[in-house]
Amino acid sequence: LEASVRSDADVKAIAGFKKARKLRLFISKKLITLDNLDLLTDKKDLEELMISARINSTKGLHSLKKLRKLWFKSKISEIEDMHGLDSLEEIQLSAASIEDISGLSAVTTVRKIYCNSSWGCYVGKLGGLENMKNLEVIDLPGAGISKLEGLDKGLKKLRVINLDNNNISKLEGLDNL
């Protein structure tokens, strides 16, 4: 199911898609910014979600218990309220801009995180991922990262880390990988 949103009325109309398993939410007007994602709280069967909209907060995602894949194609002010997403395995940040992804640490089931500068992705700080005990792949080339934090704690399953074309001047804190 694809929902193209052009007005605030269209955002409210999404409430009718309760049984959707896959949802692509495109908000085309630059004037519309979602304060949070509470409009998705009743989408209990949602397994895949792609959001292309400016978002102030990811608050409201916690109720999506079956969500396996999550794509953000937007500017996100704050990642929060991610606890309880026990089926989430993959997060893609394409065309996303966020200073701090540590809010993702509440999701311990995530196996893969992708963000690529060729997709327009920017992550200012890589840290706070130590609780993501199932994380296998961190693929963040050219994401604007200058310092690594928290990668040496608890990431026992990490197999691939791609930080090519970032501004990391010194590799430290990787002793336990």
Side-chain angles (χ1 to χ4, degrees), residues 33 47 52 56 87 92 102 107 134 147 157 169:
T33 298
E47 295 177 10
S52 180
N56 286 335
S87 297
Q92 240 181 58
S102 62
V107 188
N134 290 303
K147 187 174 182 182
K157 294 185 179 181
S169 58

Side-chain angles (χ1 to χ4, degrees), residues 101-165:
I101 63 171
S102 62
L104 297 176
S105 68
V107 188
T108 60
T109 55
V110 171
R111 296 178 335 141
K112 301 173 185 175
I113 297 176
Y114 298 103
C115 172
N116 192 311
S117 63
S118 65
W119 302 335
C121 183
Y122 173 82
V123 174
K125 176 183 169 188
L126 180 62
L129 304 180
E130 57 273 358
N131 294 333
M132 301 179 90
K133 61 184 180 214
N134 290 303
L135 194 58
E136 297 173 6
V137 177
I138 298 174
D139 192 8
L140 305 171
I145 297 167
S146 58
K147 187 174 182 182
L148 304 177
E149 294 177 19
L151 293 183
D152 62 337
K153 301 174 189 131
L155 300 180
K156 305 293 184 206
K157 294 185 179 181
L158 190 63
R159 295 181 296 113
V160 176
I161 183 167
N162 179 3
L163 299 171
D164 193 29
N165 294 320

Side-chain angles (χ1 to χ4, degrees), residues 47-131:
E47 295 177 10
E48 295 183 15
L49 175 62
M50 177 189 289
I51 300 173
S52 180
R54 289 184 304 183
I55 304 167
N56 286 335
S57 166
T58 57
K59 186 174 178 282
L61 285 179
H62 68 277
S63 64
L64 305 178
K65 305 293 185 200
K66 294 182 181 179
L67 192 65
R68 292 182 303 105
K69 294 183 180 181
L70 177 61
W71 293 276
F72 288 112
K73 297 182 81 173
S74 55
K75 181 171 179 14
I76 307 166
S77 298
E78 184 176 6
I79 294 178
E80 63 177 337
D81 200 29
M82 301 285 283
H83 62 279
L85 296 177
D86 296 335
S87 297
L88 190 60
E89 295 179 356
E90 184 177 314
I91 298 172
Q92 240 181 58
L93 304 166
S94 48
S97 175
I98 183 145
E99 287 296 322
D100 182 5
I101 63 171
S102 62
L104 297 176
S105 68
V107 188
T108 60
T109 55
V110 171
R111 296 178 335 141
K112 301 173 185 175
I113 297 176
Y114 298 103
C115 172
N116 192 311
S117 63
S118 65
W119 302 335
C121 183
Y122 173 82
V123 174
K125 176 183 169 188
L126 180 62
L129 304 180
E130 57 273 358
N131 294 333

